[in-house]
Amino acid sequence: MLDFHYTKIDGKSAIPIVDLYFKNPVNFIFTTKTDFAVIDTGSDVTVVSYTVISKLRVRPLPEPQQIHIKGFGRENIGIPYLVEAGFSNENYIYVKVFAIPDDILDGQVIVGRDILNNYVITFDDPNLVFTISD
Amino acid sequence: MTSDVIQGGDWAENIAKLLGSHYPDVPDKTLDITLATCSDVESSVDSNKCSENHQVTFAEIFNHTLPSSPKIIEFNSTIEHIWTIKQGTSLVDRDDAKISEAIFLMSDILDIYWNEFPTKTKVLLLDKLQIFNKSGWQFMLKLISQLPKTLKDVSFRYATYISEYNSLNRSTQEHLKQTAYTNSTSLIKSIWYLCNVVRKMLKKDGKLLKENQANIQNFTVDILSLIRQNSKNDAFQVNDEKVIHSFNCKGEPFSYNIKDLFWNPKAYDYIKEQEEIFGLCFPKLIKEYPDRYVIFENSEVIDSDSDEITLLGRISKNESYKDRPAIFCKLVPKNPKMNKVNA
């Protein structure tokens, strides 16, 4: 079980942010990690910056999709890629992530339900902590 | 029938040009085309009835055929409202959801009752659809372009009504298909293809009956394939030709091209190529792999599974597949729903 604290950014309300590890499913030499992965239970899919994809050198999938990011009306096209992802560098799962330009996400990763549904996540909002377990 | 020229503005002219460039054998004015269609109807069915067609409302047609119900009454008022929408009105000002709902409702009603309609009712309804194309042609096409998902469904359903396609001789069918396959690159042209089928069908003998389930199935698969092929590269086309306008993380305007999101240019070309082949193989795929994800390459299915992630995980471990620049994994839709139509 992994314990995390909520993170407060720029005076806004605290949000659940975690480290997220990625690796190339075919060639494990290519790995990367982000320390700004936002848990977003309202997101169907996981969205990453293009930089993550270019570091992993993973293979894309067909059917780019419209992604709504940061508010209604802000539509972007995301390219699907197959990666392995995990909250620790020991346990990974296969997942289809969507890549959009770095300028839009500013280095963030939006962790959607396609990843979250593989874990038991408990939010303790009053104490600003949350846990993730397999 | 009047011969007034419909004032559709630049948009109508663009559509006319588009149609004209791909169908040089038809008049270059949209209205001329639709008027010609109406003339076909007029010459092929009872002339007295036809002269009245334009005065016949949907409500009147249905009232003579179907028991009245609140749903049908509501449908009538909605569809008649659509009929009367003035051209040139911005779609933004309209209740698109209501319009879509009416179109779906119309499709549903036709699905359910089509076989029960007398021949003349069918003629009237098809003629009404043509009139819809006449008085709302620009609107219809704009709706198609703005609501592609809706239109795919509408065109699919519309296609199922036109089972007489199979009464055309083989060479005509092939010609129609080839024309559509080679010339069509958009949904608009798919719809135009369907309308052309109707035109030719009506021109042939004026009969609108004698369908059977197998023919409808074949036709719908053809049309699905066509629509699929036409829309196969929608996302790519949009981004090939246009820049995506968005906002960056600071809220400032930011634009980019989809190609910028492929670190390997070969992957982009590979997916585009396979999309095209996938479209050509669609009729076969929909029969053999309905509702399954397939790993597809050069007309062959390498692997398939009902779960996408399971399939992707499996193919990633496949040594012989590792050198591909991209993974072409796609869901083959279920077989089209068959209507309750008997021979």
Side-chain angles (χ1 to χ4, degrees), chain B residues 24 157 180 195 284 317:
Chain B
R157 285 165 178 272
C195 292
K284 184 185 166 197
K317 290 172 184 158

Side-chain angles (χ1 to χ4, degrees), chain A residues 26 50 53 57-64 70 75-77 79 81-82 94 96 99-101 103-104 106, chain B residues 244 246-249 254 256 258 260-263 267 271 308 312 316-317 321-322 324-327 329-330:
Chain A
V26 176
Y50 171 72
I53 294 303
R57 305 183 75 79
V58 283
R59 294 179 290 175
L61 304 165
E63 298 185 328
K70 296 186 177 180
E75 285 186 1
N76 285 283
I77 301 285
I79 301 296
Y81 282 88
L82 178 68
Y94 285 109
K96 181 162 81 171
I100 62 171
D103 288 26
I104 294 169
D106 194 23
Chain B
I244 299 165
S246 182
F247 297 90
N248 65 16
C249 54
F254 170 74
Y256 64 99
I258 200 168
D260 300 338
L261 297 174
F262 285 84
W263 63 270
I271 289 180
E308 184 184 22
L312 290 171
S316 291
K317 290 172 184 158
Y321 195 75
K322 281 183 178 175
R324 269 70 165 184
I327 306 174
C329 176
K330 218 161 180 173

